[in-house]
Amino acid sequence: PVLALDGDAATITVLIKPDKTAEFEAVLAKVKESLAKSEKAERKEQAAGWSVFKANQAVNGNTAYIMFINPVVKGQEYDITRLIAEVFPVEVQEFFQKYKDSFAGRGITPLTKFMTMGQ
């Protein structure tokens, strides 16, 4: 994988140019569709633990999307465009361009489970 994640869980913060949020949200919808239509069991497992949140406040003038992945499916691809390419090889260039044009930055934080508060 180009983007495999370490740890038990992870957050991926993606900063998107404020005038390009619709394009990025179309990319996210295509990733969701790709995970749902994939024949790989690992993709279903990834989808089940992958949530996306949109920040209510701008970060350095950009819109922040926080992906919370719990649990991380070890050894699997989390690169958005590669996941789209697995199911939609013809359309991937269009979505890669939308992602590239909207992108303003990214941070990845691997997490190790420390405690469950309910137990």
Side-chain angles (χ1 to χ4, degrees), residues 63-105:
T63 303
Y65 292 82
I66 293 93
M67 299 179 193
F68 183 60
I69 299 164
N70 184 28
V72 164
V73 181
K74 306 265 193 245
Q76 293 302 309
E77 183 65 72
Y78 280 91
D79 180 80
I80 287 174
T81 54
R82 288 184 182 258
L83 290 170
I84 292 171
E86 285 182 359
V87 179
F88 300 103
V90 174
E91 297 174 55
V92 70
Q93 264 321 110
E94 169 193 348
F95 286 94
F96 172 73
Q97 194 61 49
K98 286 182 183 185
Y99 184 41
K100 182 179 164 193
D101 291 346
S102 66
F103 188 82

Side-chain angles (χ1 to χ4, degrees), residues 8-28:
D8 301 320
T11 61
I12 302 172
T13 303
V14 182
L15 299 179
I16 298 299
K17 297 171 187 168
D19 61 334
K20 299 288 186 179
T21 58
E23 288 88 339
F24 182 66
E25 290 175 10
V27 172
L28 289 176

Side-chain angles (χ1 to χ4, degrees), residues 22-37:
E23 288 88 339
F24 182 66
E25 290 175 10
V27 172
L28 289 176
K30 200 62 165 179
V31 173
K32 181 177 181 175
E33 184 182 357
S34 298
L35 292 169
K37 290 185 174 182

